[in-house]
Amino acid sequence: MLSFYSTKKQIENVSLKDAVLQGLAVDSGLFMPSKISSIEPLFFDRIFSLSLPEIAFIVSKHLLNNAIPADDLKKIIDVSMTIDAPLIKLSEEMYVLELFHGPTLSFKDFGARFMARLMEYFNRNENNDLHILAATSGDTGSAVAHGFFNIPGIKVWILYPKGQVSYIQEKQLTTIGHNVTALEVDGTFDDCQSLVKQAFSDRELCKKMRLTSANSINIARLIPQSFYYFFAYAQLGKCTDPIVVSVPCGNFGNLTAGLLSKKMGLPIDRFIAATNINDSVPRYLRTGNFDPHISRKTLSNAMDVGNPSNFARILDLYNEDLKKIQKDIYGISITDFQMKDAISELRRKYQYIADPHGAIAYLGLKDYQQRRPKSKGIFLETAHPAKFLETVEPLIGEKLDMPESLKSAVTKNKESFQINSNYNELKAVFLS
Ligand SMILES: *Cc1c(COP(=O)(O)O)cnc(C)c1O
């Protein structure tokens, strides 16, 4: 049966259940599957006619290797992987994979829904509540909260940086209620992440509350994100040109999931790690030196991450071999100014309306294809443009329709709990 090791390698391997419920390993490492092997070639011959849930079942059954009985796994997939992920053709060499058709209109719905169902499954025989802690730079919080909404025996705490998420994102985070509490932190996203980490390493707290995480550090979020790379390939159809996929990166969970899919045999030639000016990884790819900076605020705020946690997983996947990492990943960093131009250009050239994050992925792909023609490129559109109205509307010169789920969030009243970035304050809230 499959087990999971910590990237810090200070602990024994654990089961899928423990990896999912612990979130972060006790040595502060991130969990990774002990074995990631190629799926049999036959699968890639018949993938072209399969649906996303069918692909998800085959991929997860292969990767998880009986860690969950097949019938139970199938049920989890069938209730969580019901989101569409259409591949849209912009030109002969450029496609966009739309990942924003879930309930909170970002790609994070895929990971959050699968993780919520997996936790519900593993928590089914417990007496005490399970508390989910999630730091969010924008979209994680609402996706996680939505995924867990009304799941019995689970309480959710969302930490977000005050004043650093968009109006609509904040509404989505703070209007859910029931088993979900929004904590508005006077600090940055990195502060929120650090608070979550401190809570997990607080033995006293962990004795009183069963805690687990729900950021992209949880392996249960990562695994389902690999499914849609396979589904993109299936929709592209048989092709002989090398396939490159451009991923807008913040915490690097999405890209890591893409690397997992490649390790499972998906024929993707190369990934493009497209960041905003928070460029720790593109700088690493250039210099071999990982020198994270404090995060800086941009218009693609879900990617404002100074020190991406999943970088540890990427290093680990490649045994820290820079040459091998460079072979698979091309890095690029994009300014707000360039991103805005890209939104206008996409509208003008392709009649496509992108959000700031997708626009960054587009520029990464465009830059790459100018240097290396003859590739089939896919860029990931990770959020619905209406989530970023303030940025997108002036650039395209038209009003965007607001999807129903956003309309209903906007009409509700914000409810949040304000705390500063001092850990004792967070702890007091938990213990009260
Ligand atoms: C979270 C997020 C990203 C960054 O994804 P990571 O997995 O953290 O790299 C990109 N775009 C949007 C819209 C997001 O919400």
PDB file of all heavy atoms in Angstrom, residues 181-205:
ATOM      1  N   THR A 181     -15.630  30.051   9.952  1.00  0.00           N
ATOM      2  CA  THR A 181     -15.321  31.356  10.550  1.00  0.00           C
ATOM      3  C   THR A 181     -14.181  32.030   9.790  1.00  0.00           C
ATOM      4  O   THR A 181     -13.155  31.413   9.533  1.00  0.00           O
ATOM      5  CB  THR A 181     -14.872  31.196  12.030  1.00  0.00           C
ATOM      6  OG1 THR A 181     -15.849  30.427  12.717  1.00  0.00           O
ATOM      7  CG2 THR A 181     -14.705  32.541  12.711  1.00  0.00           C
ATOM      8  N   ALA A 182     -14.371  33.303   9.432  1.00  0.00           N
ATOM      9  CA  ALA A 182     -13.320  34.059   8.741  1.00  0.00           C
ATOM     10  C   ALA A 182     -12.539  34.890   9.758  1.00  0.00           C
ATOM     11  O   ALA A 182     -13.125  35.639  10.536  1.00  0.00           O
ATOM     12  CB  ALA A 182     -13.946  34.962   7.689  1.00  0.00           C
ATOM     13  N   LEU A 183     -11.200  34.764   9.769  1.00  0.00           N
ATOM     14  CA  LEU A 183     -10.337  35.547  10.656  1.00  0.00           C
ATOM     15  C   LEU A 183      -9.562  36.551   9.803  1.00  0.00           C
ATOM     16  O   LEU A 183      -8.788  36.176   8.927  1.00  0.00           O
ATOM     17  CB  LEU A 183      -9.357  34.629  11.404  1.00  0.00           C
ATOM     18  CG  LEU A 183      -9.988  33.593  12.331  1.00  0.00           C
ATOM     19  CD1 LEU A 183      -8.933  32.605  12.833  1.00  0.00           C
ATOM     20  CD2 LEU A 183     -10.669  34.273  13.507  1.00  0.00           C
ATOM     21  N   GLU A 184      -9.799  37.831  10.091  1.00  0.00           N
ATOM     22  CA  GLU A 184      -9.183  38.904   9.302  1.00  0.00           C
ATOM     23  C   GLU A 184      -7.902  39.332  10.004  1.00  0.00           C
ATOM     24  O   GLU A 184      -7.949  39.935  11.077  1.00  0.00           O
ATOM     25  CB  GLU A 184     -10.196  40.054   9.214  1.00  0.00           C
ATOM     26  CG  GLU A 184      -9.816  41.169   8.297  1.00  0.00           C
ATOM     27  CD  GLU A 184     -10.945  42.215   8.175  1.00  0.00           C
ATOM     28  OE1 GLU A 184     -12.047  41.995   8.751  1.00  0.00           O
ATOM     29  OE2 GLU A 184     -10.704  43.219   7.504  1.00  0.00           O
ATOM     30  N   VAL A 185      -6.752  39.007   9.411  1.00  0.00           N
ATOM     31  CA  VAL A 185      -5.470  39.195  10.088  1.00  0.00           C
ATOM     32  C   VAL A 185      -4.818  40.509   9.653  1.00  0.00           C
ATOM     33  O   VAL A 185      -4.681  40.783   8.458  1.00  0.00           O
ATOM     34  CB  VAL A 185      -4.504  38.025   9.761  1.00  0.00           C
ATOM     35  CG1 VAL A 185      -3.141  38.249  10.422  1.00  0.00           C
ATOM     36  CG2 VAL A 185      -5.103  36.696  10.211  1.00  0.00           C
ATOM     37  N   ASP A 186      -4.408  41.312  10.634  1.00  0.00           N
ATOM     38  CA  ASP A 186      -3.712  42.558  10.326  1.00  0.00           C
ATOM     39  C   ASP A 186      -2.258  42.213   9.972  1.00  0.00           C
ATOM     40  O   ASP A 186      -1.381  42.240  10.824  1.00  0.00           O
ATOM     41  CB  ASP A 186      -3.783  43.470  11.563  1.00  0.00           C
ATOM     42  CG  ASP A 186      -3.486  44.907  11.195  1.00  0.00           C
ATOM     43  OD1 ASP A 186      -3.107  45.159  10.029  1.00  0.00           O
ATOM     44  OD2 ASP A 186      -3.629  45.771  12.071  1.00  0.00           O
ATOM     45  N   GLY A 187      -2.005  41.843   8.726  1.00  0.00           N
ATOM     46  CA  GLY A 187      -0.670  41.422   8.294  1.00  0.00           C
ATOM     47  C   GLY A 187      -0.716  40.948   6.848  1.00  0.00           C
ATOM     48  O   GLY A 187      -1.704  41.192   6.154  1.00  0.00           O
ATOM     49  N   THR A 188       0.345  40.261   6.414  1.00  0.00           N
ATOM     50  CA  THR A 188       0.427  39.786   5.030  1.00  0.00           C
ATOM     51  C   THR A 188      -0.031  38.328   4.947  1.00  0.00           C
ATOM     52  O   THR A 188      -0.270  37.686   5.970  1.00  0.00           O
ATOM     53  CB  THR A 188       1.883  39.825   4.518  1.00  0.00           C
ATOM     54  OG1 THR A 188       2.650  38.937   5.349  1.00  0.00           O
ATOM     55  CG2 THR A 188       2.467  41.223   4.607  1.00  0.00           C
ATOM     56  N   PHE A 189      -0.095  37.813   3.731  1.00  0.00           N
ATOM     57  CA  PHE A 189      -0.414  36.395   3.559  1.00  0.00           C
ATOM     58  C   PHE A 189       0.643  35.525   4.243  1.00  0.00           C
ATOM     59  O   PHE A 189       0.323  34.518   4.869  1.00  0.00           O
ATOM     60  CB  PHE A 189      -0.495  36.030   2.071  1.00  0.00           C
ATOM     61  CG  PHE A 189      -0.571  34.551   1.840  1.00  0.00           C
ATOM     62  CD1 PHE A 189      -1.659  33.822   2.288  1.00  0.00           C
ATOM     63  CD2 PHE A 189       0.461  33.873   1.200  1.00  0.00           C
ATOM     64  CE1 PHE A 189      -1.737  32.447   2.097  1.00  0.00           C
ATOM     65  CE2 PHE A 189       0.398  32.494   0.999  1.00  0.00           C
ATOM     66  CZ  PHE A 189      -0.699  31.786   1.455  1.00  0.00           C
ATOM     67  N   ASP A 190       1.891  35.927   4.133  1.00  0.00           N
ATOM     68  CA  ASP A 190       2.951  35.149   4.777  1.00  0.00           C
ATOM     69  C   ASP A 190       2.751  35.096   6.298  1.00  0.00           C
ATOM     70  O   ASP A 190       3.018  34.070   6.927  1.00  0.00           O
ATOM     71  CB  ASP A 190       4.348  35.709   4.425  1.00  0.00           C
ATOM     72  CG  ASP A 190       4.697  35.467   2.954  1.00  0.00           C
ATOM     73  OD1 ASP A 190       4.085  34.575   2.337  1.00  0.00           O
ATOM     74  OD2 ASP A 190       5.574  36.174   2.423  1.00  0.00           O
ATOM     75  N   ASP A 191       2.250  36.196   6.873  1.00  0.00           N
ATOM     76  CA  ASP A 191       1.921  36.191   8.310  1.00  0.00           C
ATOM     77  C   ASP A 191       0.816  35.170   8.599  1.00  0.00           C
ATOM     78  O   ASP A 191       0.881  34.442   9.589  1.00  0.00           O
ATOM     79  CB  ASP A 191       1.435  37.577   8.773  1.00  0.00           C
ATOM     80  CG  ASP A 191       2.539  38.627   8.755  1.00  0.00           C
ATOM     81  OD1 ASP A 191       3.710  38.253   8.975  1.00  0.00           O
ATOM     82  OD2 ASP A 191       2.230  39.811   8.510  1.00  0.00           O
ATOM     83  N   CYS A 192      -0.185  35.146   7.730  1.00  0.00           N
ATOM     84  CA  CYS A 192      -1.292  34.191   7.928  1.00  0.00           C
ATOM     85  C   CYS A 192      -0.759  32.771   7.893  1.00  0.00           C
ATOM     86  O   CYS A 192      -1.113  31.921   8.718  1.00  0.00           O
ATOM     87  CB  CYS A 192      -2.354  34.353   6.834  1.00  0.00           C
ATOM     88  SG  CYS A 192      -3.188  35.948   6.845  1.00  0.00           S
ATOM     89  N   GLN A 193       0.106  32.520   6.916  1.00  0.00           N
ATOM     90  CA  GLN A 193       0.677  31.189   6.770  1.00  0.00           C
ATOM     91  C   GLN A 193       1.524  30.832   7.998  1.00  0.00           C
ATOM     92  O   GLN A 193       1.497  29.704   8.474  1.00  0.00           O
ATOM     93  CB  GLN A 193       1.542  31.143   5.516  1.00  0.00           C
ATOM     94  CG  GLN A 193       1.207  29.956   4.665  1.00  0.00           C
ATOM     95  CD  GLN A 193       1.908  29.952   3.319  1.00  0.00           C
ATOM     96  OE1 GLN A 193       2.670  30.861   2.967  1.00  0.00           O
ATOM     97  NE2 GLN A 193       1.674  28.931   2.555  1.00  0.00           N
ATOM     98  N   SER A 194       2.243  31.808   8.483  1.00  0.00           N
ATOM     99  CA  SER A 194       3.095  31.569   9.635  1.00  0.00           C
ATOM    100  C   SER A 194       2.238  31.303  10.886  1.00  0.00           C
ATOM    101  O   SER A 194       2.582  30.437  11.709  1.00  0.00           O
ATOM    102  CB  SER A 194       4.039  32.766   9.806  1.00  0.00           C
ATOM    103  OG  SER A 194       4.353  32.961  11.146  1.00  0.00           O
ATOM    104  N   LEU A 195       1.108  31.997  11.028  1.00  0.00           N
ATOM    105  CA  LEU A 195       0.198  31.730  12.158  1.00  0.00           C
ATOM    106  C   LEU A 195      -0.301  30.289  12.118  1.00  0.00           C
ATOM    107  O   LEU A 195      -0.351  29.604  13.142  1.00  0.00           O
ATOM    108  CB  LEU A 195      -0.993  32.690  12.113  1.00  0.00           C
ATOM    109  CG  LEU A 195      -0.750  34.130  12.574  1.00  0.00           C
ATOM    110  CD1 LEU A 195      -1.980  34.991  12.315  1.00  0.00           C
ATOM    111  CD2 LEU A 195      -0.376  34.164  14.057  1.00  0.00           C
ATOM    112  N   VAL A 196      -0.657  29.842  10.918  1.00  0.00           N
ATOM    113  CA  VAL A 196      -1.148  28.468  10.779  1.00  0.00           C
ATOM    114  C   VAL A 196      -0.050  27.487  11.180  1.00  0.00           C
ATOM    115  O   VAL A 196      -0.280  26.529  11.929  1.00  0.00           O
ATOM    116  CB  VAL A 196      -1.630  28.207   9.327  1.00  0.00           C
ATOM    117  CG1 VAL A 196      -1.871  26.727   9.098  1.00  0.00           C
ATOM    118  CG2 VAL A 196      -2.908  28.992   9.044  1.00  0.00           C
ATOM    119  N   LYS A 197       1.160  27.754  10.724  1.00  0.00           N
ATOM    120  CA  LYS A 197       2.274  26.863  11.067  1.00  0.00           C
ATOM    121  C   LYS A 197       2.526  26.844  12.571  1.00  0.00           C
ATOM    122  O   LYS A 197       2.802  25.794  13.152  1.00  0.00           O
ATOM    123  CB  LYS A 197       3.553  27.278  10.326  1.00  0.00           C
ATOM    124  CG  LYS A 197       3.510  26.840   8.869  1.00  0.00           C
ATOM    125  CD  LYS A 197       4.840  27.054   8.142  1.00  0.00           C
ATOM    126  CE  LYS A 197       4.695  26.622   6.683  1.00  0.00           C
ATOM    127  NZ  LYS A 197       5.681  27.239   5.795  1.00  0.00           N
ATOM    128  N   GLN A 198       2.434  28.025  13.197  1.00  0.00           N
ATOM    129  CA  GLN A 198       2.642  28.075  14.655  1.00  0.00           C
ATOM    130  C   GLN A 198       1.565  27.277  15.392  1.00  0.00           C
ATOM    131  O   GLN A 198       1.867  26.611  16.378  1.00  0.00           O
ATOM    132  CB  GLN A 198       2.642  29.529  15.140  1.00  0.00           C
ATOM    133  CG  GLN A 198       3.912  30.277  14.751  1.00  0.00           C
ATOM    134  CD  GLN A 198       3.833  31.731  15.182  1.00  0.00           C
ATOM    135  OE1 GLN A 198       3.971  32.052  16.358  1.00  0.00           O
ATOM    136  NE2 GLN A 198       3.586  32.616  14.230  1.00  0.00           N
ATOM    137  N   ALA A 199       0.334  27.369  14.924  1.00  0.00           N
ATOM    138  CA  ALA A 199      -0.749  26.616  15.572  1.00  0.00           C
ATOM    139  C   ALA A 199      -0.453  25.120  15.506  1.00  0.00           C
ATOM    140  O   ALA A 199      -0.606  24.398  16.486  1.00  0.00           O
ATOM    141  CB  ALA A 199      -2.092  26.938  14.918  1.00  0.00           C
ATOM    142  N   PHE A 200       0.020  24.664  14.348  1.00  0.00           N
ATOM    143  CA  PHE A 200       0.302  23.230  14.210  1.00  0.00           C
ATOM    144  C   PHE A 200       1.450  22.777  15.092  1.00  0.00           C
ATOM    145  O   PHE A 200       1.507  21.625  15.500  1.00  0.00           O
ATOM    146  CB  PHE A 200       0.599  22.864  12.764  1.00  0.00           C
ATOM    147  CG  PHE A 200      -0.624  22.849  11.927  1.00  0.00           C
ATOM    148  CD1 PHE A 200      -0.774  23.691  10.841  1.00  0.00           C
ATOM    149  CD2 PHE A 200      -1.667  21.994  12.244  1.00  0.00           C
ATOM    150  CE1 PHE A 200      -1.924  23.685  10.090  1.00  0.00           C
ATOM    151  CE2 PHE A 200      -2.822  21.982  11.501  1.00  0.00           C
ATOM    152  CZ  PHE A 200      -2.951  22.824  10.416  1.00  0.00           C
ATOM    153  N   SER A 201       2.391  23.686  15.374  1.00  0.00           N
ATOM    154  CA  SER A 201       3.524  23.246  16.188  1.00  0.00           C
ATOM    155  C   SER A 201       3.276  23.515  17.676  1.00  0.00           C
ATOM    156  O   SER A 201       4.146  23.270  18.504  1.00  0.00           O
ATOM    157  CB  SER A 201       4.821  23.909  15.702  1.00  0.00           C
ATOM    158  OG  SER A 201       4.655  25.295  15.680  1.00  0.00           O
ATOM    159  N   ASP A 202       2.085  23.987  18.012  1.00  0.00           N
ATOM    160  CA  ASP A 202       1.739  24.268  19.401  1.00  0.00           C
ATOM    161  C   ASP A 202       1.139  23.005  20.048  1.00  0.00           C
ATOM    162  O   ASP A 202      -0.027  22.683  19.850  1.00  0.00           O
ATOM    163  CB  ASP A 202       0.728  25.430  19.421  1.00  0.00           C
ATOM    164  CG  ASP A 202       0.311  25.837  20.834  1.00  0.00           C
ATOM    165  OD1 ASP A 202       0.499  25.029  21.774  1.00  0.00           O
ATOM    166  OD2 ASP A 202      -0.207  26.945  20.977  1.00  0.00           O
ATOM    167  N   ARG A 203       1.959  22.307  20.806  1.00  0.00           N
ATOM    168  CA  ARG A 203       1.522  21.023  21.380  1.00  0.00           C
ATOM    169  C   ARG A 203       0.310  21.160  22.279  1.00  0.00           C
ATOM    170  O   ARG A 203      -0.585  20.316  22.276  1.00  0.00           O
ATOM    171  CB  ARG A 203       2.661  20.388  22.182  1.00  0.00           C
ATOM    172  CG  ARG A 203       3.608  19.629  21.309  1.00  0.00           C
ATOM    173  CD  ARG A 203       4.919  19.368  22.013  1.00  0.00           C
ATOM    174  NE  ARG A 203       5.937  19.148  20.994  1.00  0.00           N
ATOM    175  CZ  ARG A 203       6.316  17.943  20.596  1.00  0.00           C
ATOM    176  NH1 ARG A 203       5.783  16.871  21.123  1.00  0.00           N
ATOM    177  NH2 ARG A 203       7.231  17.808  19.660  1.00  0.00           N
ATOM    178  N   GLU A 204       0.312  22.245  23.060  1.00  0.00           N
ATOM    179  CA  GLU A 204      -0.788  22.451  23.998  1.00  0.00           C
ATOM    180  C   GLU A 204      -2.118  22.566  23.239  1.00  0.00           C
ATOM    181  O   GLU A 204      -3.111  21.923  23.583  1.00  0.00           O
ATOM    182  CB  GLU A 204      -0.515  23.726  24.799  1.00  0.00           C
ATOM    183  CG  GLU A 204      -1.470  23.906  25.963  1.00  0.00           C
ATOM    184  CD  GLU A 204      -1.451  25.339  26.483  1.00  0.00           C
ATOM    185  OE1 GLU A 204      -0.466  26.077  26.244  1.00  0.00           O
ATOM    186  OE2 GLU A 204      -2.450  25.730  27.115  1.00  0.00           O
ATOM    187  N   LEU A 205      -2.096  23.365  22.180  1.00  0.00           N
ATOM    188  CA  LEU A 205      -3.313  23.552  21.382  1.00  0.00           C
ATOM    189  C   LEU A 205      -3.739  22.236  20.726  1.00  0.00           C
ATOM    190  O   LEU A 205      -4.912  21.872  20.720  1.00  0.00           O
ATOM    191  CB  LEU A 205      -3.077  24.622  20.310  1.00  0.00           C
ATOM    192  CG  LEU A 205      -4.316  25.028  19.514  1.00  0.00           C
ATOM    193  CD1 LEU A 205      -5.269  25.839  20.379  1.00  0.00           C
ATOM    194  CD2 LEU A 205      -3.935  25.810  18.268  1.00  0.00           C
TER     195      LEU A 205
END
